[in-house]
């Protein structure tokens, strides 16, 4: 029997993913609930959590958002994904996650807590890009802020075009 090719829709079904508020699709795969919670300034958190995260042609952008926790990203399958990171000093770092290591793509990416991050699926033959994230201290909505276009462009006017592309507008 011919193997069924992997598509965005059969990945969403097989991995049981749901739409993420930032764009894309996700499912939490792990939380360290067999260990003591970690006391943070924001309250108790799991030591670590993990998700699958998928970008597709229909939902190709993970909008700018801010996390307190460190996040490790691991690329699995599909087309490369471009990451835009705005550091606290306003500097912009752009890099690509993917499997073409010889072309400079990264299979693993560490994003420290305290910076703004957005991701965008690059054009390719698959129409999706699948990664995993490991978050420590574990993800909690209280530690996350979605990027507000007006606020972010006021804070980082040098990145206006990028911010407008990678945030949701009011209109
Ligand atoms: N981003 C990274 N981890 C998570 C998670 O567990 N839940 C949600 N909603 N977003 C995340």
């Amino acid at each position: 029997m011919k193997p069924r090719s992997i598509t965005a829709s059969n990945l969403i079904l097989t991995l049981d993913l749901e739409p993420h508020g930032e764009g894309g699709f996700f499912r939490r795969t792990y939380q360290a609930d067999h260990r003591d919670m970690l006391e943070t300034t924001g309250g108790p958190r799991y030591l670590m959590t993990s998700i699958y995260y998928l970008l597709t042609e229909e939902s190709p952008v993970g909008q700018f958002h801010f996390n307190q926790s460190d996040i490790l990203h691991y690329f699995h399958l599909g087309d490369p994904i471009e990451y835009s990171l705005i550091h606290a000093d306003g500097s912009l770092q752009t890099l690509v996650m993917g499997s073409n290591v010889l072309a400079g793509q990264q299979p693993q990416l560490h994003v420290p807590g305290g910076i703004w991050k957005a991701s965008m699926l690059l054009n390719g033959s698959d129409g999706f890009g699948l990664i995993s994230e490991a978050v420590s201290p574990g993800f909690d909505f209280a530690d996350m802020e979605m990027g507000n276009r007006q606020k972010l462009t006021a804070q980082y006017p040098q990145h206006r075009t990028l911010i407008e592309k990678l945030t949701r507008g009011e209109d």
Side-chain angles (χ1 to χ4, degrees):
M1 201 171 76
K2 192 168 165 280
R4 205 155 58 107
S5 57
I6 300 177
T7 62
S9 43
N10 62 31
L11 272 178
I12 291 168
L13 277 174
T14 309
L15 298 179
D16 194 21
L17 307 181
E18 56 184 274
H20 196 291
E22 298 157 12
F25 300 85
F26 85 114
R27 177 167 58 86
R28 184 177 283 198
T29 53
Y30 172 80
Q31 60 191 28
D33 41 18
H34 58 304
R35 295 187 185 276
D36 289 344
M37 300 292 276
L38 207 60
E39 287 305 327
T40 74
T41 49
R45 302 284 183 265
Y46 292 113
L47 192 59
M48 185 166 81
T49 58
S50 187
I51 58 167
Y52 283 125
Y53 186 65
L54 177 76
L55 290 175
T56 68
E57 276 170 344
E58 288 70 36
S59 189
V61 170
Q63 316 277 335
F64 265 114
H65 60 284
F66 181 96
N67 264 296
Q68 299 287 355
S69 291
D70 296 335
I71 306 189
L72 282 154
H73 303 68
Y74 303 94
F75 184 85
H76 296 304
L77 288 172
D79 298 325
I81 299 174
E82 183 177 84
Y83 280 78
S84 300
L85 310 176
I86 302 179
H87 293 259
D89 66 358
S91 63
L92 172 69
Q93 187 187 359
T94 306
L95 56 99
V96 175
M97 286 202 81
S99 51
N100 195 347
V101 177
L102 299 184
Q105 296 175 2
Q106 293 184 212
Q108 187 180 126
L109 166 66
H110 163 224
V111 175
I115 70 177
W116 290 92
K117 174 185 86 177
S119 54
M120 189 182 70
L121 183 69
L122 296 179
N123 284 334
S125 51
D126 291 317
F128 66 85
L130 177 70
I131 67 154
S132 281
E133 297 184 13
V135 186
S136 182
F139 179 87
D140 191 299
F141 277 108
D143 301 330
M144 188 265 223
E145 185 185 340
M146 277 308 292
N148 173 282
R149 182 176 288 180
Q150 278 68 32
K151 213 170 115 183
L152 268 186
T153 48
Q155 200 174 350
Y156 304 112
Q158 67 275 37
H159 304 311
R160 170 184 288 278
T161 310
L162 184 74
I163 291 166
E164 285 179 353
K165 191 164 117 188
L166 300 174
T167 52
R168 274 188 204 111
E170 310 284 84
D171 42 358

